[in-house]
Amino acid sequence: MPNILVKIPKDAFPTEHRAALVKKLNDAAAAAEQIPDDPRKRSMCWVIIDEVVPGSWTCGASDMSVKLLPCLAVIYVPAGVLDGASQAMYVDLVHTAFKQSLPETEQRPLATSVILHHVADGSWGANGAIWRLPDFAP
């Protein structure tokens, strides 16, 4: 049941490329978190894409998006779901999702940052109630 928050430079992924990215991020979550291929389970994977306007993504006061294509994914997963191997796989799959979803015309080098946040059991709320891993995992 991940929540995936994505930041990409504005207009870097046109509509059809954003749709491909969302699908690939869902597939990455399903593989890493062993989410069954069941629409009810897959619907619990939320992806939010936020486009960052030019000049707002800086490093050392320089606009990062001029020289490279920065892409950030912050992923919230229930604690205890991912072991070391599945974390490594998840990060690789997310990077690959960005790479495979790029328009062919994109010339900037891709620079991804993937942050995995492990949410402690009992710290996840949904629809006004606390959710615990044993309650929603089945």
Side-chain angles (χ1 to χ4, degrees):
M1 184 189 122
N3 285 328
I4 304 172
L5 309 177
V6 175
K7 293 203 179 272
I8 54 176
K10 185 168 177 50
D11 300 325
F13 291 81
T15 303
E16 65 276 8
H17 296 275
R18 267 196 321 276
L21 177 60
V22 168
K23 177 166 183 353
K24 290 176 187 307
L25 290 172
N26 273 272
D27 292 344
E33 296 187 44
Q34 299 179 20
I35 300 170
D37 192 14
D38 172 347
R40 293 177 306 131
K41 300 293 184 186
R42 294 284 183 104
S43 70
M44 296 173 70
C45 177
W46 290 20
V47 177
I48 299 168
I49 296 182
D50 184 23
E51 292 189 305
V52 180
V53 297
S56 296
W57 200 319
T58 63
C59 183
S62 297
D63 184 355
M64 293 294 294
S65 62
V66 172
K67 297 178 183 174
L68 54 87
L69 182 66
C71 296
L72 171 69
V74 179
I75 304 171
Y76 293 86
V77 298
V81 170
L82 302 174
D83 61 14
S86 58
Q87 288 182 78
M89 176 178 64
Y90 210 161
V91 169
D92 181 57
L93 290 172
V94 169
H95 173 77
T96 301
F98 281 115
K99 188 174 183 176
Q100 291 178 347
S101 301
L102 285 173
E104 291 179 16
T105 56
E106 180 58 61
Q107 297 298 310
R108 294 171 290 180
L110 176 65
T112 61
S113 179
V114 180
I115 302 167
L116 298 172
H117 283 286
H118 301 267
V119 180
D121 197 29
S123 297
W124 206 300
N127 299 326
I130 295 295
W131 280 31
R132 298 188 183 282
L133 185 57
D135 298 331
F136 64 82

